[in-house]
Amino acid sequence: MGSHTDSLPTPATAAGRDGLDAILARPDRAVLAFDFDGTLAPIVPDPDQARAHPDAVPALAALAPKVASIAVVTGRPAGVAVRYGGFAGVPGLDHLVVLGHYGAERWDARTGTVKAPAPHPGVAAVRAELPGLLERIGAWHGTWIEEKGRAVAVHTRRADDPQAAFEALREPLADLATRHGLIVEPGRMVLELRPPGMDKGVALLEYVREIGAGAVMYAGDDLGDLPAFAAVDKLRSDGVPGLLVCSGSEEVTELAERADLVVDGPEGVVRLLRSLAQELD
């Protein structure tokens, strides 16, 4: 698939170039971390139909043995991300971990098991109230509730006017979340209600420090990835070089503006993985 001609792109910033250089110089000390939806998997109208880009797992498997670790950091339950990603039992991917539910859960390819704490009681309370709330504010039509175990999300992508539905729901959902000790995390036509203190930044920071990584790359596409971007900035200020990659969405310009490197969606992420693997051969 023309994989031998993929040359490594040059990051637009000095910090990003330092990050990439550090990964190439000592890959055995590098953690490469990725969001799932929109980064390794194309965004689809029904999140239950999301699957990793067909070339993502082969590209990860080619790269994984050369680095300290590959981490998938996602708001989805770890087990769901493993299933939709097709990450289990893949030769070469034994260095993979999935930090699910923003790091509250962890699946390790080596053991094939998920570790997780007890869920927050506010999630069950919110779940019970949501249908009535959506009905009352007339936002039932076209919106859709996604069950995430440790969180619950309301999607507006299928509504007649997705953006208007999204805006109409922000305040009522924030009130509902606050009442039950949860927070609302906005994303691309989705509002997620979940416990505070869980975010991709906390998950990434803890994992990178646990591994004792000497360099880190993080690739994401949505607002929920901003905390992970901030974590990489924090690591850089602590002397750990890092590279920030945006899986180029037209929908979230904020992330693209903060990235060192913008690639063309999951397809571009796969090309980046392939060129990194070749560079390290």
Side-chain angles (χ1 to χ4, degrees), residues 129-141 143-145 153-156 165 169 172-173 176:
E129 284 186 45
L130 257 180
L133 175 84
L134 293 176
E135 187 72 60
R136 276 198 309 282
I137 56 182
W140 189 248
H141 189 67
T143 56
W144 175 77
I145 299 173
V154 180
H155 291 262
T156 66
L169 282 170
L173 290 186
L176 176 66

Side-chain angles (χ1 to χ4, degrees), residues 4 17 40 44 47 50 52 119 126 145 158 175 185 190 222 256 260:
H4 292 291
R17 292 190 289 276
L40 292 175
V44 289
V126 157
I145 299 173
R158 299 183 201 162
D175 292 345
E185 174 84 54
V190 58
D222 202 352
D260 304 307

Side-chain angles (χ1 to χ4, degrees), residues 35-37 73-78 99-103 148 151 192 194 198 200:
D35 161 50
F36 184 69
D37 293 277
V73 190
T74 174
R76 286 186 183 269
L99 304 174
H101 276 309
Y102 304 93
K148 292 181 130 184
E192 183 170 315
R194 60 183 177 83
M198 295 163 35
K200 292 182 180 184

Side-chain angles (χ1 to χ4, degrees), residues 91-111:
L93 268 193
D94 48 336
H95 283 223
L96 179 98
V97 301
V98 175
L99 304 174
H101 276 309
Y102 304 93
E105 294 186 344
R106 173 161 162 179
W107 177 86
D108 211 303
R110 260 182 285 250
T111 58

Side-chain angles (χ1 to χ4, degrees), residues 32 34 40 55-57 59-60 62-63 70 217 268-278:
L32 306 184
F34 305 86
L40 292 175
D55 297 328
V57 168
L60 286 170
L63 189 54
I70 301 269
M217 176 181 104
V269 171
V270 166
R271 278 200 300 273
L272 176 62
L273 291 175
R274 281 191 187 137
S275 49
L276 267 171
Q278 280 156 30

Side-chain angles (χ1 to χ4, degrees), residues 69-95:
S69 178
I70 301 269
V72 176
V73 190
T74 174
R76 286 186 183 269
V80 172
V82 170
R83 206 162 62 243
Y84 291 2
F87 300 133
V90 179
L93 268 193
D94 48 336
H95 283 223

